[in-house]
């Protein structure tokens, strides 16, 4: 469910015509619907009502302060993977006691910052990291609460770049070696070993891999309890998929139902790290056609958004629907929708049936709220797009379009190069 819809022939976000936003803010721009974001978070959170749980929004999917703020106001926590994401989460008002920290390469500085901030728990991904966590906590005269992220070797049936719980992936500690690592960690004075975590992949469209992972985690918890290691938090990661095209992912209610049934352990607090399912369909990338051209064999629609704004089609071959902002009833053509970047990989859609679009027309690249802006770059020295949040009949710029000055911020020509 989302709030991008047509009123007669005009595409709206909530009560604001998208064409008006293009006129006032320019293109390319990311447009988010506040109502959609709020509803998605609430629906997900409510689905777990009745069991102790924390919904830690996965900041990598979209870390704009205003967006994270919507969730922190509703009691949401955050799943972070860097000092930068921690900084953003705190600025957005997330309670540090509801922040979990994953990632295979946390440095001593990252750990120090997170410990000083009082986060809930680190999801440790290697024995060396566990040692560093202990050292840094000892130096700071603190205890670090940790979960061990286990790799359960489960095939999530998703794109290989976004599957993370197979034994050939770099993430977590092999579940077969986990008990040994837990025992070693439990001996360390500056650690409180209190959790178990996993994240098996992203854009999952069935519940069975989650249930399978949960089953393996439960077994491990039972074994650990026999060894006197008491686990209080079970972090199931994120990964629930959304509809980009024709996928039919489970509704959060169905996902939560399956998790509840399999979990069945009341003394655990469940942690969930959804990203895409909350923000994916709550945002679009708005773009304007610059030119159209035909190679004789192929039609190209050249737009002002590019792979630097939305890299998913180029990187994963991902599908994003392309909708006209004004429907004209003109015939449909098959075209590649491409950006101005100097790479053949710079496309937003390939061989796509779209209404004939002409120079100056606006198009919406749908389902761009997750891993859209957050993966954008300045490649080809393109200032990053503006971000706008629509709420009812109001809109707010939540990140200004970058300027040329922003592009060179921090760069310096050393004196010796200044002489002619
Ligand atoms: N927790 C952990 C530890 C993760 O690694 C991820 C995503 C999530 C939670 C959130 O997963 P979600 O609910 O959004 O599926 N750039 C790719 C997706 C990479 C996902 C990486 N990890 C894309 O654009 O599809």
């Amino acid at each position: 469910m989302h709030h991008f819809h047509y009123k007669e022939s005009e595409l709206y976000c909530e009560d604001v015509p998208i064409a008006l936003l293009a006129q006032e803010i320019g293109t390319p721009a990311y447009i988010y619907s506040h109502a959609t974001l709020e509803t998605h978070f609430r629906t997900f959170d409510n689905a777990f009502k009745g069991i102790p749980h924390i919904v830690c929004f996965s900041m990598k999917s979209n870390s704009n302060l205003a967006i994270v703020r919507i969730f922190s106001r509703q009691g949401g926590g955050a799943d972070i993977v860097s000092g930068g994401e921690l900084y953003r989460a705190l600025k957005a008002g997330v309670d540090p006691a509801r922040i979990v920290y994953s990632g295979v390469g946390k440095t001593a500085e990252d750990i120090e910052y997170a410990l000083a901030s009082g986060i809930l728990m680190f999801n440790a991904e290697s024995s060396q990291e566990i040692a560093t966590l202990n050292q840094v906590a000892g130096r700071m005269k603190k205890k670090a609460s940790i979960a061990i992220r286990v790799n359960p070797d489960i095939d999530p049936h998703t794109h290989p770049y976004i599957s993370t719980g197979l034994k050939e992936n770099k993430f977590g500690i092999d579940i077969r070696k986990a008990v040994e690592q837990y025992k070693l960690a439990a001996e360390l004075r500056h650690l409180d070993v209190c959790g178990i975590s996993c994240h098996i992949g992203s854009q999952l469209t069935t519940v069975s891999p989650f249930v399978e992972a949960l089953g393996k985690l439960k077994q491990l918890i039972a074994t650990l309890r026999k060894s006197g290691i008491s686990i209080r938090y079970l972090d199931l990661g994120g990964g629930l998929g959304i509809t980009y095209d024709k996928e039919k992912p489970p509704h959060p209610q169905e996902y939560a139902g399956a998790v509840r049934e399999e979990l069945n352990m009341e003394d655990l607090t469940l942690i969930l790290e959804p990203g895409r399912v909350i923000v994916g369909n709550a945002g679009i990338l708005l773009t304007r056609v610059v030119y159209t051209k035909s190679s004789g064999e192929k039609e190209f629609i050249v737009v002002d958004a590019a792979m630097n704004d939305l890299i998913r089609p180029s990187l994963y071959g991902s599908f994003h629907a392309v909708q006209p902002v004004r429907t004209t009833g003109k015939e449909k053509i098959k075209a590649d929708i491409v950006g101005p970047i100097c790479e053949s990989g710079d496309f937003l859609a390939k061989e796509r049936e779209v209404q004939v679009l002409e120079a100056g027309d606006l198009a919406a690249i749908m389902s761009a709220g997750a891993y859209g802006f957050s993966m954008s770059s300045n490649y080809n020295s393109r200032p990053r797009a503006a971000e706008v949040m629509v709420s009812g009949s109001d809109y707010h710029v939540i990140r200004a379009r970058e300027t040329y000055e922003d592009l060179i911020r921090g760069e310096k020509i050393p004196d010796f190069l200044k002489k002619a």
Side-chain angles (χ1 to χ4, degrees):
M1 198 277 312
H2 60 71
H3 289 79
F4 294 95
H5 53 263
Y6 287 97
K7 276 189 200 164
E8 290 165 14
S9 57
E10 282 284 318
L11 185 63
Y12 276 68
C13 176
E14 302 189 20
D15 300 326
V16 177
I18 299 285
L20 176 79
L21 295 173
Q23 198 185 317
E24 300 201 346
I25 282 127
T27 53
Y30 276 93
I31 316 289
Y32 307 102
S33 152
H34 172 261
T36 310
L37 290 162
E38 203 174 56
T39 312
H40 282 184
F41 186 88
R42 193 170 353 111
T43 305
F44 193 93
D45 194 28
N46 281 346
F48 290 91
K49 221 179 194 158
I51 48 174
H53 71 277
I54 310 176
V55 178
C56 294
F57 172 65
S58 190
M59 303 241 332
K60 65 176 82 64
S61 64
N62 192 318
S63 57
N64 185 289
L65 295 183
I67 289 182
V68 180
R69 179 74 189 148
I70 296 176
F71 313 137
S72 71
R73 266 163 50 119
Q74 296 187 76
D79 152 47
I80 59 162
V81 290
S82 68
E85 284 189 354
L86 175 54
Y87 181 77
R88 284 178 171 278
L90 297 174
K91 287 273 178 210
V94 179
D95 176 359
R98 295 170 91 77
I99 295 180
V100 290
Y101 194 164
S102 305
V104 295
K106 305 174 195 84
T107 63
E109 291 74 41
D110 295 333
I111 292 169
E112 198 173 317
Y113 177 29
L115 272 175
S117 306
I119 68 163
L120 176 65
M121 137 180 131
F122 294 86
N123 290 337
E125 306 221 15
S126 64
S127 52
Q128 291 188 4
E129 184 191 332
I130 293 172
T132 305
L133 282 160
N134 184 55
Q135 261 168 24
V136 177
R139 204 190 318 132
M140 294 174 73
K141 302 198 175 10
K142 283 186 182 276
K143 264 201 169 204
S145 297
I146 73 156
I148 292 185
R149 174 167 174 184
V150 298
N151 185 332
D153 192 23
I154 284 169
D155 188 352
H157 305 292
T158 185
H159 191 284
Y161 285 12
I162 54 178
S163 82
T164 43
L166 283 166
K167 62 176 182 296
E168 62 260 35
N169 299 136
K170 69 177 175 180
F171 300 99
I173 290 177
D174 184 340
I175 194 155
R176 291 163 306 181
K177 300 196 182 118
V179 175
E180 179 191 323
Q181 286 300 325
Y182 267 103
K183 286 184 179 160
L184 290 171
E187 298 287 304
L188 300 176
R189 279 183 41 219
H190 308 296
L191 298 184
D192 171 22
V193 183
C194 61
I196 186 164
S197 79
C198 81
H199 169 78
I200 54 175
S202 199
Q203 183 54 14
L204 271 66
T205 50
T206 57
V207 293
S208 53
F210 293 113
V211 172
E212 205 187 321
L214 196 52
K216 289 194 176 187
L217 260 50
K218 270 177 62 179
Q219 268 177 20
L220 181 56
I221 292 174
T223 312
L224 293 172
R225 285 187 173 166
K226 277 187 209 135
S227 317
I229 299 171
S230 80
I231 299 295
R232 307 192 298 279
Y233 295 101
L234 188 158
D235 181 342
L236 194 54
L240 190 57
I242 61 168
T243 304
Y244 285 98
D245 186 11
K246 296 190 176 71
E247 306 90 334
K248 290 203 166 60
H251 187 274
Q253 205 93 42
E254 191 189 327
Y255 165 73
V259 169
R260 269 170 200 272
E261 196 181 313
E262 178 70 22
L263 181 66
N264 204 16
M265 287 174 110
E266 275 166 10
D267 44 355
L268 281 177
T269 296
L270 182 65
I271 294 175
L272 301 139
E273 303 176 349
R276 188 188 321 260
V277 68
I278 310 281
V279 291
N281 278 321
I284 63 166
L285 174 58
L286 174 62
T287 185
R288 194 182 284 281
V289 178
V290 187
Y291 300 115
T292 59
K293 60 190 267 185
S294 172
S295 71
E297 310 220 320
K298 240 183 150 143
E299 302 298 320
F300 293 98
I301 299 173
V302 185
V303 296
D304 64 3
M307 67 190 284
N308 75 296
D309 300 301
L310 179 66
I311 203 173
R312 303 192 69 257
S314 312
L315 192 56
Y316 316 113
S318 306
F319 178 97
H320 285 266
V322 179
Q323 292 188 4
V325 167
R326 187 165 292 140
T327 56
T328 54
K330 283 185 191 158
E331 85 270 29
K332 286 196 165 179
I333 52 158
K334 200 174 254 187
D336 282 11
I337 291 127
V338 301
I341 282 182
C342 302
E343 295 222 20
S344 300
D346 179 27
F347 59 87
L348 298 169
K350 282 220 149 172
E351 299 279 309
R352 188 64 61 78
E353 279 223 338
V354 281
Q355 163 192 302
V356 166
L357 290 168
E358 285 164 23
D361 286 349
L362 293 166
I365 315 295
M366 306 303 288
S367 315
Y371 308 105
F373 188 90
S374 67
M375 291 181 83
S376 67
S377 76
N378 291 125
Y379 188 41
N380 273 208
S381 283
R382 288 169 51 83
R384 272 180 296 181
E387 291 182 284
V388 181
M389 186 185 287
V390 171
S391 176
S393 50
D394 294 333
Y395 72 85
H396 309 270
V397 176
I398 57 171
R399 193 179 203 274
R401 183 179 308 289
E402 284 182 347
T403 62
Y404 290 154
E405 285 79 35
D406 292 331
L407 284 180
I408 58 166
R409 190 153 70 96
E411 291 183 32
K412 266 201 188 96
I413 299 176
D415 283 344
F416 84 97
L417 287 176
K418 283 187 182 152
K419 296 174 206 128

